[in-house]
Amino acid sequence: MTLTGPSRPAASGNATSQVIFLHGYGADGADLMGLADPLGHYLPDTRFFSPNAPERCAGNPFGYQWFPIPHMDGCTEEQARASLVTSAEKLNGFLDAKLAEMASERTVLVGFSQGTMMSLHVTPRREAPVAGVVGFSGRLLVPERLEAEAVSRPPMLLIHGDQDPMVPHGSMAEAAAALRAAGFAVATHTSEGVGHSIAPDGLGLALGFIAQVLGIRLPGQDESPGG
C-alpha cells in the first residue's frame, strides 16, 4: 500500500524544496494541508505533501491513524506497537519516493500530535538526514531506544501549548532532553494559553526554522504567517 493524500505544487512553478506534513490521530492529510497557504506565501519554491496515515481510525472512522491508542480505543499495547512498526515502514516508503525526486537535505517534515511522534521516530532512523523536523504537540516514542538506533540527526524544533489536554505539555521537555542526550540539536517553544492546536506564534517560528534549515532568506524577517 502506498500512502496517498493531498499535495500542492510550488507557487513559483519551480520546486527546489519540499515540506511533508504528518497529521494527527483521527485526522487526514487535508487537516494540515491548509498550512501550505501561509507557508507557501513565504516559501514560493517549496512544494507540499500531506499523506493520509495508513489505517482508518478506530475512534473516528472518517479519519486515519498512524497507530491505535490503548487508552482511547481499547487496543492492546502489543497491537499499538505492531501498528507503529507497520506505519513506520509505509511512511519510509512514502519518504523514499519523495526523496527520489527531491534531495533529503531539501526536505522538512512537519508533524502534529501523532504525526509528530511519527516524525521523531522515523527520521532519526533514516540513513540520509532530512533538513529538519518541526513537531507540534507531540512526544517522543520509545526514548530509551533512540541513542542506540539513531543513524542521522537532523535539527528539530518542538512546539507545544501549555494548556494541551491531549498530550501533556511536559512531553516536549521530555522529548527534547532525550533527543539532546542522543546528540540532536533541538529548539523548543511553549505557546502560552494554547491547547492541542497550532497557534500563530508557533507557526511563525516553524516558518523561520524551515527557512533557516533550507537556507532560504525570508522577505521581511519580522513578518510571520500569523501576523
Side-chain angles (χ1 to χ4, degrees):
M1 171 188 172
T2 301
L3 299 184
T4 60
S7 62
R8 195 186 108 160
S12 68
N14 179 35
T16 60
S17 59
Q18 62 186 358
V19 168
I20 297 172
F21 299 117
L22 299 183
H23 67 77
Y25 177 85
D28 59 19
D31 186 57
L32 291 184
M33 201 61 197
L35 299 180
D37 289 333
L39 293 178
H41 174 76
Y42 294 86
L43 305 169
D45 298 328
T46 300
R47 63 182 190 175
F48 299 87
F49 298 93
S50 192
N52 299 315
E55 302 177 0
R56 282 290 181 180
C57 182
N60 175 18
F62 296 103
Y64 297 84
Q65 64 187 22
W66 296 100
F67 52 88
I69 301 175
H71 74 269
M72 293 182 66
D73 51 36
C75 74
T76 66
E77 291 288 349
E78 290 75 16
Q79 288 172 323
R81 284 193 292 267
S83 181
L84 170 62
V85 170
T86 300
S87 286
E89 291 174 351
K90 292 178 178 178
L91 177 56
N92 273 314
F94 179 86
L95 294 176
D96 288 343
K98 298 309 174 190
L99 296 181
E101 303 168 355
M102 184 75 66
S104 60
E105 63 267 21
R106 304 299 301 163
T107 301
V108 176
L109 269 67
V110 176
F112 176 75
S113 192
Q114 201 176 65
T116 291
M117 300 175 202
M118 293 301 297
S119 299
L120 299 183
H121 185 73
V122 168
T123 54
R125 293 166 173 83
R126 292 183 61 86
E127 183 173 351
V130 295
V133 176
V134 179
F136 289 95
S137 307
R139 63 184 180 90
L140 179 65
L141 303 172
V142 291
E144 68 277 4
R145 288 170 28 196
L146 177 65
E147 188 169 5
E149 296 180 0
V151 293
S152 65
R153 290 170 171 78
M156 298 187 173
L157 170 64
L158 305 181
I159 301 168
H160 213 123
D162 63 0
Q163 301 300 312
D164 191 335
M166 302 296 292
V167 181
H169 172 247
S171 299
M172 179 176 68
E174 293 170 359
L179 286 160
R180 288 169 181 153
F184 289 78
V186 184
T188 62
H189 172 75
T190 295
S191 290
E192 296 183 2
V194 174
H196 197 61
S197 62
I198 298 174
D201 64 327
L203 187 58
L205 287 171
L207 168 64
F209 175 84
I210 293 169
Q212 179 183 11
V213 297
L214 292 176
I216 297 171
R217 182 175 176 82
L218 296 175
Q221 293 294 317
D222 59 336
E223 298 180 31
S224 76

